[in-house]
Amino acid sequence: MWLFIAFLAIPLIEITLFIQIGGAIGLGWTLVTVVLTAILGTILVRTQGALALGQVKSSFEGMQDPTEPLAHGAMILFSGALLLTPGFFTDGIGFLLLVPAFRSWAFRAIRARVNVQTFETQHSAQRSGRTYDARGDVIDGEYTEVRPAANEIKRPSGWTDH
């Protein structure tokens, strides 16, 4: 139901804002503003996206929980889609999602409503002083790689013989 209301309300808000702002500053300046916000948004999304990707990478390298950097990256990606969509309302939300303090607040608000499962690796368990029991997770075995002889003639399988 909420999704239906959003799909109905957002275009109505955008149309209203286009009419109001276009009437106040004129059609030409309205179109220039929409194009400039898309260009500026693309530049900001690119730079902040690279920073978020670096944070995700460092969290994986440090064996830390990557939930928050991944959420920030998703919000930056979503803000890019909003900024490329023509409209003042979507641009406002898109620019708001590019503010790191707002993203942190949104992440905490979402995390409070969602049951978040965490993970633990052997490395992080050992660092925290907990023991790691791998019984049942490891299969011990040996293998030998079998390669066909170089002079062996390759024939079709027996399934094709009639």
Side-chain angles (χ1 to χ4, degrees), residues 48-84:
Q48 289 206 8
L51 289 172
L53 187 60
Q55 290 172 348
V56 169
K57 185 177 176 183
S58 67
S59 71
F60 279 129
E61 288 172 353
M63 300 299 282
Q64 299 168 349
D65 185 11
T67 307
E68 188 166 2
L70 285 172
H72 281 266
M75 285 187 257
I76 291 169
L77 182 65
F78 186 61
S79 74
L82 290 174
L83 289 167
L84 289 176

Side-chain angles (χ1 to χ4, degrees), residues 120-157:
E120 184 172 83
T121 62
Q122 179 181 1
H123 183 346
S124 63
Q126 288 172 346
R127 273 194 333 203
S128 64
R130 290 188 293 276
T131 58
Y132 180 76
D133 185 13
R135 287 182 297 203
D137 295 336
V138 177
I139 299 173
D140 191 16
E142 295 180 14
Y143 72 94
T144 304
E145 188 172 341
V146 179
R147 294 185 180 192
N151 59 358
E152 184 178 306
I153 300 173
K154 299 201 185 231
R155 299 181 317 163
S157 70

Side-chain angles (χ1 to χ4, degrees), residues 84-118:
L84 289 176
T85 303
F88 293 104
F89 181 70
T90 53
D91 285 350
I93 295 172
F95 281 121
L96 193 59
L97 284 172
L98 289 178
V99 177
F102 180 79
R103 285 197 312 265
S104 294
W105 173 82
F107 175 73
R108 285 191 308 272
I110 292 169
R111 191 172 191 159
R113 297 176 191 259
V114 175
N115 181 15
V116 178
Q117 301 269 333
T118 59

Side-chain angles (χ1 to χ4, degrees), residues 1-9:
M1 183 65 177
W2 288 105
L3 192 60
F4 174 73
I5 292 170
F7 276 119
L8 186 64

